[in-house]
Amino acid sequence: LRHLTRHKLFSAINIVCLAIGITFSMVIGIYVLNQQSVNRNIKDVSNQYFIKSKWKEKDLGLDITTISPLSKTLKEEYPALVAGYYRYCPVTNILSAGDKHLKEDIAICDTTLISMYDFPLLYGNRDKAFADNSSAVITETLALKLFGSKNAIGKTIRMNTTNADIVQDYIVSAVLKDISYNSVTGVLNSVYSMYIPFTGNRYFSGGDPSIDWNQANVLSFVELRKGVTAQNLIVPAHQLIKKYTADFISKYLDVEFAPVEDYYLKDNNGAAQKMVVALSLVAVFILLMVIINFVNINIGTSSYRLKEIGLRKVFGSARKQLIIQFISEAWLLTLIAAIISLALYQLLLPVFSEVFNTRLQALWEFGISGYLMLFLLILFIGFIAGIYPAFILSATNLVNAVKGKIDGAKGSLVLKRTLLVVQFSLAIIVFICTLNVSNQISYIFKKDLGYNKEQLLVISAFPKQWDSAGVSRIENIKRNLLQLSSVKSASIAFDLPDGTPAGRFVLYPPDGSLVKSVNVPVSNADEDYAKTFGIQ
């Protein structure tokens, strides 16, 4: 303590650097742990699989959806292999209760949601969460927003459909505790606030989307029996597709079973996993820079520490005692820095939560395991940082120590130069990487997208009613908008030009050959589409 207070500047530099390093390491560490914990809380997650489509020709369909009845039929015809199934179709719509109207993400789904995944209920019967085809399971957040209370059992929610003038009322039969992000209810990065049954649903003009073997519009999951592997389902799945679907689909479609357990990390060519690795390396670089900084300062100030070491040795100190002293000093500095870093972490929590687009835990949510990991990190940093003074300086020859000369054999000059080179090299590498990332982001935002997005306002209709009545209403809105002096042009379109449209045509040559057929993504739009979007 006396040493730290006598050399306030060096102590302050070490503490500040360590505090910054630990703070960033905590932020990155919590984020990485959050990413790796996705899906871990799902019941029997090791037996849960997501059915994905593998189309033999590009753009024939989405890979995250598959043939609608496939998972249910696998359960029905192969009960020895499949223990359960769950499917859903995501929509966005307006939910109404009294004078409240909210735009929400909704899952039209199988009633196996609760029994298969054991998501926690606040209210309702777990064994029969969906009481009938007109019942709904909602989240506690939606219950509070619509009714001002989490207990919304028996309350009515009204929802419009894509069919003209058809409205459906749903009675709340269960209230879900808000679900943490997972790859079952969050494949499309949505947070669904209401779950309603497929059966009896009149949302779609084409009827129930879960029963058509020639449609691949639902997200499907299966739970396998214990001891059954995904490979055991490949042949049965292909047999069902060949048996029930049209020739065109059976010839061009394969399916794969992706484990839900690590789906989040491995999806999109392992994007999340790569991010976790990259951020972990950044955390290691930051800690390495901090430790090198600590050691360099100790080397720079080693001459006056040597006389202290020499005197301690003269008065009988053993090397072991000196090692303990220096390691304790490093741990004390690290502990002070850690206390400061805890305050910094909590202070900067909202900023980093926004940067990472996720919710990072507050200090009081760490739990015993979180604080244990932090304690081990402090011990590790303190030990690594204190190695040089503890083992190198304490081993200095007594005569040289009293004179304040470090042993040349110890190679302190070489070590100092090496550490400086490593420190500056790491800084330059990080700087170059930052420039590259910055340039890449700038390129993304400035790249010519093929249309002009500046001053472009999108007005979305919910539900997206695309029949004659719905289009007529939108055309009336368009005519009125064009009368405003601030509106230059307007267009009606089913999709925005920012991705592959959902619709598609398959065009065949005159001879009807399937081999030469062409799959064409299509989007419905009016005659002002190109002018409004500035498409050449």
Side-chain angles (χ1 to χ4, degrees), residues 128-281:
K128 200 174 183 182
F130 294 89
D132 53 42
N133 294 336
S134 296
S135 59
V137 174
I138 67 173
T139 62
E140 59 178 305
T141 297
L142 180 62
L144 283 170
K145 287 195 291 186
L146 278 180
F147 306 109
S149 169
K150 292 182 180 181
N151 190 354
I153 300 295
K155 301 290 180 67
T156 301
I157 299 176
R158 174 159 289 192
M159 184 177 78
N160 290 329
T161 71
T162 57
N163 294 295
D165 303 321
I166 293 181
V167 177
Q168 280 195 274
D169 288 343
Y170 287 93
I171 307 298
V172 177
S173 58
V175 178
L176 271 173
K177 187 175 181 181
D178 286 339
I179 306 170
S180 58
Y181 179 81
N182 61 79
S183 293
V184 174
T185 62
V187 173
L188 302 174
N189 294 320
S190 296
V191 177
Y192 303 107
S193 55
M194 185 164 93
Y195 299 83
I196 53 179
F198 277 125
T199 307
N201 189 279
R202 294 183 290 167
Y203 183 86
F204 298 103
S205 57
D208 187 345
S210 69
I211 60 176
D212 190 346
W213 275 98
N214 293 315
Q215 294 292 329
N217 295 328
V218 301
L219 293 91
S220 301
F221 301 83
V222 289
E223 179 183 349
L224 305 189
R225 299 281 183 192
K226 292 191 182 300
V228 177
T229 66
Q231 194 63 34
N232 299 137
L233 278 187
I234 296 295
V235 173
H238 287 170
Q239 288 175 344
L240 292 179
I241 291 171
K242 188 175 182 180
K243 179 179 178 181
Y244 292 113
T245 65
D247 289 344
F248 177 80
I249 293 177
S250 61
K251 288 180 179 178
Y252 285 90
L253 176 64
D254 283 331
V255 294
E256 63 177 337
F257 295 85
V260 171
E261 189 170 15
D262 58 5
Y263 179 79
Y264 173 74
L265 291 173
K266 293 186 177 179
D267 188 32
N268 294 320
N269 294 319
Q273 198 165 44
K274 291 172 184 175
M275 177 63 75
V276 164
V277 171
L279 286 173
S280 299
L281 288 174

Side-chain angles (χ1 to χ4, degrees), residues 3 10 14 291-306 326 329-330 333 384-390 393 406 416:
H3 170 72
F10 292 131
N14 274 328
I291 291 169
I292 289 173
N293 191 71
F294 187 99
V295 174
N296 278 339
I297 288 176
N298 274 306
I299 292 175
T301 58
S302 59
S303 58
Y304 67 76
R305 297 303 307 265
L306 284 173
F326 285 120
E329 265 186 29
L333 277 170
I384 296 297
I387 280 179
Y388 174 78
L393 295 183
I406 193 168
K416 184 178 181 180

Side-chain angles (χ1 to χ4, degrees), residues 515-533:
V515 178
K516 296 181 180 179
S517 61
V518 178
N519 180 55
V520 182
V522 296
S523 181
N524 294 304
D526 68 6
E527 66 276 9
D528 296 317
Y529 185 79
K531 179 176 71 174
T532 303
F533 284 98

Side-chain angles (χ1 to χ4, degrees), residues 313-531:
K313 284 188 174 183
V314 166
F315 288 110
S317 289
R319 188 187 178 195
K320 180 181 177 181
Q321 291 174 304
L322 293 172
I323 290 173
I324 292 172
Q325 179 200 336
F326 285 120
I327 292 292
S328 299
E329 265 186 29
W331 274 336
L332 179 61
L333 277 170
T334 309
L335 180 62
I336 296 170
I339 293 170
I340 296 171
S341 71
L342 289 173
L344 286 174
Y345 173 85
Q346 191 61 36
L347 184 67
L348 296 172
L349 195 60
V351 177
F352 285 111
S353 292
E354 187 174 343
V355 168
F356 284 124
N357 192 30
T358 189
R359 180 187 173 277
L360 299 175
Q361 286 97 328
L363 287 176
W364 52 86
E365 296 176 307
F366 279 11
I368 296 175
S369 59
Y371 282 110
L372 180 61
M373 290 180 68
L374 180 61
F375 178 69
L376 292 175
L377 178 66
I378 293 169
L379 286 180
F380 174 75
I381 293 173
F383 180 75
I384 296 297
I387 280 179
Y388 174 78
F391 292 94
I392 305 298
L393 295 183
S394 65
T396 305
N397 178 272
L398 177 60
V399 175
N400 288 334
V402 172
K403 293 179 179 179
K405 295 180 180 179
I406 193 168
D407 292 350
K410 301 300 179 185
S412 67
L413 192 58
V414 175
L415 176 63
K416 184 178 181 180
R417 287 173 176 171
T418 302
L419 291 177
L420 282 172
V421 168
V422 170
Q423 189 176 22
F424 282 111
S425 298
L426 286 175
I428 292 167
I429 289 168
V430 171
F431 185 70
I432 291 171
C433 291
T434 304
L435 281 179
N436 275 324
V437 171
S438 177
N439 289 336
Q440 186 67 27
I441 292 171
S442 178
Y443 169 77
I444 289 171
F445 281 105
K446 293 179 181 178
K447 185 180 185 295
D448 181 12
L449 301 175
Y451 71 97
N452 182 18
K453 61 183 174 62
E454 302 302 326
Q455 296 297 100
L456 193 65
L457 178 68
V458 179
I459 302 175
S460 300
F462 296 100
K464 194 182 281 188
Q465 187 181 333
W466 207 244
D467 56 16
S468 57
V471 172
S472 178
R473 290 196 192 102
I474 299 296
E475 285 176 337
N476 187 45
I477 293 173
K478 175 186 173 182
R479 282 192 294 271
N480 282 276
L481 284 172
L482 288 171
Q483 293 176 13
L484 301 175
S485 60
S486 56
V487 176
K488 183 179 178 181
S489 64
S491 173
I492 301 170
F494 193 82
D495 300 284
L496 293 175
D498 60 353
T500 303
R504 58 192 68 251
F505 289 147
V506 179
L507 305 180
Y508 303 94
D511 61 4
S513 171
L514 289 177
V515 178
K516 296 181 180 179
S517 61
V518 178
N519 180 55
V520 182
V522 296
S523 181
N524 294 304
D526 68 6
E527 66 276 9
D528 296 317
Y529 185 79
K531 179 176 71 174

